[in-house]
Each structure stands twice: as C-alpha cells, then as structure tokens.
Amino acid sequence: MPTIADAVLLRSLSADALLHGGSLPDVLAGRHGMSRRTVVQRLNRLAAAGWLVKEGLRRPRWQPGVLRQVSQRYPLHGLQEHLVWQRDFAPVLDLPAAAGSLAEHAFTELVNNAVDHSGGQFVDVSLRRDGQRLQLLVADDGCGVFARVHQTFGIEDAQEALLELGKGRLTTQPDRHLGQGLFFTSRLADLFDLHANGLTYQHRLWQRRDWLRQAPQAGRGTVIFMSVALDTTLSLAQVMAEHGRDGLPGRLARTVVPLRLLSGPHHPLLSRSQGRRVVTRLTEFLEAELDFEGVPEIGHAFADEIFRVFAQLHPQVRLSPRNMAPGVARVIDAVRAGA
C-alpha cells in the first residue's frame, strides 16, 4: 500500500513518468524538496506495487505501470472540460476504447455541471485506473446539487429534489442544457454515488436501483464518485436507446421514477400533493416507469392523482407501474377500474 508520502507523488506520477521518464527522480526531488535517494526508494516501492515500470539499471527509465492516476484541481471560471480531458487525462490513462468513451462522456458531463451549476470556485478531479476498473471522482466547492435545485425550483424537501433529478430532463439552465447529462451518466457507471447537502444518492448498474440515505459530509459542494469496468461493453448509444423511443435516440423519452426516493418511514405515499409531485414534468416524456420497489403501501388519493387524474389529462404519456407489493397493486387496479 502506498504511504501518505507516496500519495503526494501519485497525484501526478503517471503523467510525470510519461514526460520525464529518464530524469524522473531529479524532477521529483526538486519539486518536493526531497533527496534523490529518498525519491528513488519511493519510486522503487511504487514500481513494485504496479504504479511504475523501471527499464534499465545504470540509467533507468521510468514508465507508467498498470496502475495509473491523474489528480488535478482547476479554477471553475473559464474552465473548458474537453480541453483538460484531452490534455491532462486521456493521454496518461491509455484506456480501452469502450471504457475510454464512457470515461470521456462522464468526465466532461460532470465537470461541466460543476462549471455551469455549482456556483463554486474550484473543482477537484481524480481518475484512477487499476487492472480491472476505472474510478472517477469529481468534487466542487459550490452550494450542493440539492440546494441548487431548491433555489431554482423552490422544492423544499431534499427527497423531492432528488426525485426530480432522478427523472432526468431537469436543469437550472434550460437555455444551455437539456437536463439529461446526470441521468445518462449515472446509468453508464457500474457504481455511481452522489454526495451533497448531507445526503447520498446511489445507483448500481447490476441492480438498476436508486437509493437515498442520510450521510454526514464535511464541507460544501457536490462530490460524485463512479466506477466503470475496463472491459465494459456498454456504450452511451445503448443507454440512450434504452431510454429513447419512436426515433428519438439521444433524447430522453423514457424515464424511471424510483418511488422509494420519495417514500420512507416518515413519508408514506398517501396524499394527492405527493401524487402531483410524482407526475410533475412527466409530460416531457413518452413513457414513465413508476418503480414501487420498497414501497409497502400507498393511499387511494395518491394513486387516484396519478393513475386517473393525470392519466386522463395526459393520455399521450404511458404510465407503467412495476415492482408493486400486493397492496399497492390492489389500490392501483381499483383506481384504474374506476377511471
């Protein structure tokens, strides 16, 4: 395991090895105020762990190993995310084609979100590649994504803010964004965690579920972590096609509404106002899957607002409930039978 001191070297070690392979110990010694001997000892240790490849004995040349990492901090003002990807990250990581395409999309989307929406000053970005996966961390020092949704749309409850984000096509700058980036990006990753305003939103590709939980977080801003397998065969086109319909690839025409994000011990789904929150903005989609997994029961008024009132007013939107507990299915069937 790298030591804390080694971690300082790791922030730019892969890029440094590419740029200064033959003079790497001297470059690092001068930069960090260490003796050359100390640097060489650390480089040998990191090479043994897989971070470097040492070529030659008398005048060794150091090259990036199987393990690679790039960590950078950028001022948000004027930041062009595609340029830093092309300059600082893509050449160093040397990714397989499919994983590289997903990584580029996720990197540019998440960094651009920090630039356009966070209201912060800096963003920290780290990409780490090991033998099996690629891990991306993007952290800004802004107000936090849930607070931004509250400020823009007046949604008081964080769970309701997350529900709206989870639907997709929600943006605080509609003249510049479609509001689809975060939705698609979360579904490209094997593992996706978003931390902001004391909450954690999680999505797992292998379970296709969304979770919301309370999580203490120090500091401000939004922190997003995602992981993608290096041998992934998933593509952005596949994810877009899964959520598009009727010749609209790339446009989010189908959404999934995980009602577990709105429900909970202190949030039973009973009222018409909750039902109206669920169907808010569903007219922007052609189909909405309402996922009731983890919801043991619902109220008649809640179901009536969705499956009779909304359904009659907007017959062009296909509502597809799924994963219903028996009691939930009975209420929905009763409402539909009386429609």
Side-chain angles (χ1 to χ4, degrees):
M1 290 289 291
T3 66
I4 294 176
D6 292 339
V8 175
L9 301 181
L10 283 177
R11 288 184 61 85
S12 59
L13 183 65
S14 300
D16 288 334
L18 281 177
L19 290 173
H20 312 290
S23 57
L24 185 60
D26 298 306
V27 170
L28 295 180
R31 181 188 301 166
H32 298 288
M34 303 177 188
S35 70
R36 190 180 189 282
R37 180 179 179 182
T38 297
V39 170
V40 170
Q41 289 175 341
R42 290 181 178 169
L43 293 183
N44 283 328
R45 184 163 61 240
L46 292 170
W51 290 99
L52 291 168
V53 174
K54 185 178 181 181
E55 299 173 347
L57 295 176
R58 290 195 61 187
R59 294 182 177 274
R61 183 172 186 84
W62 304 85
Q63 296 295 322
V66 173
L67 307 181
R68 302 190 183 194
Q69 177 174 306
V70 181
S71 298
Q72 296 282 356
R73 164 170 280 202
Y74 301 100
L76 285 169
H77 180 70
L79 182 63
Q80 298 185 64
E81 63 276 0
H82 72 288
L83 294 181
V84 296
W85 167 260
Q86 294 168 5
R87 182 190 66 213
D88 298 338
F89 289 84
V92 178
L93 295 166
D94 189 26
L95 297 170
S101 179
L102 296 192
E104 180 176 8
H105 175 80
F107 179 99
T108 53
E109 283 288 346
L110 298 181
V111 174
N112 179 258
N113 278 347
V115 172
D116 286 351
H117 303 299
S118 72
Q121 293 183 303
F122 295 94
V123 62
D124 291 288
V125 188
S126 179
L127 262 169
R128 174 178 287 202
R129 168 190 168 168
D130 62 21
Q132 297 179 313
R133 66 188 64 81
L134 180 71
Q135 298 172 326
L136 169 64
L137 181 71
V138 178
D140 65 62
D141 60 354
C143 65
V145 63
F146 301 127
R148 176 65 71 193
V149 171
H150 162 63
Q151 292 169 6
T152 305
F153 299 99
I155 301 174
E156 295 286 348
D157 188 272
Q159 288 184 266
E160 294 185 7
L162 180 57
L163 187 75
E164 290 304 312
L165 281 173
K167 291 175 185 176
R169 301 191 72 175
L170 181 75
T171 176
T172 59
Q173 296 186 2
D175 56 328
R176 300 179 62 184
H177 298 271
L178 292 174
Q180 301 179 168
L182 195 61
F183 181 93
F184 283 133
T185 301
S186 68
R187 281 146 180 82
L188 288 172
D190 299 321
L191 182 153
F192 183 92
D193 287 355
L194 184 155
H195 307 266
N197 307 114
L199 294 170
T200 294
Y201 163 70
Q202 299 175 310
H203 182 84
R204 302 293 182 264
L205 183 65
W206 61 88
Q207 294 178 316
R208 296 183 178 271
R209 297 177 184 171
D210 301 272
W211 287 272
L212 175 70
R213 62 183 177 85
Q214 299 287 334
Q217 177 192 354
R220 302 178 59 202
T222 299
V223 179
I224 297 177
F225 172 83
M226 61 179 287
S227 176
V228 176
L230 286 179
D231 62 355
T232 183
T233 59
L234 188 63
S235 70
L236 179 60
Q238 287 175 282
V239 174
M240 286 182 167
E242 182 181 350
H243 294 278
R245 277 184 53 190
D246 300 339
L248 296 173
R251 178 180 176 183
L252 186 55
R254 173 180 164 272
T255 188
V256 177
V257 184
L259 293 170
R260 65 162 57 230
L261 299 183
L262 190 61
S263 181
H266 305 294
H267 294 81
L269 301 180
L270 304 175
S271 68
R272 289 191 181 275
S273 61
Q274 289 171 309
R276 286 192 288 272
R277 169 53 62 196
V278 169
V279 299
T280 297
R281 298 190 308 107
L282 291 190
T283 53
E284 300 178 21
F285 303 90
L286 300 177
E287 180 179 359
E289 287 193 14
L290 305 179
D291 188 353
F292 284 90
E293 183 174 357
V295 179
E297 58 183 354
I298 59 175
H300 185 276
F302 173 84
D304 187 68
E305 191 67 31
I306 298 171
F307 295 100
R308 186 184 66 83
V309 176
F310 178 85
Q312 287 183 345
L313 289 174
H314 306 286
Q316 79 280 8
V317 182
R318 180 183 174 189
L319 299 177
S320 304
R322 68 178 188 180
N323 297 325
M324 296 174 286
V328 171
R330 283 194 295 270
V331 174
I332 293 175
D333 288 344
V335 164
R336 283 178 159 176

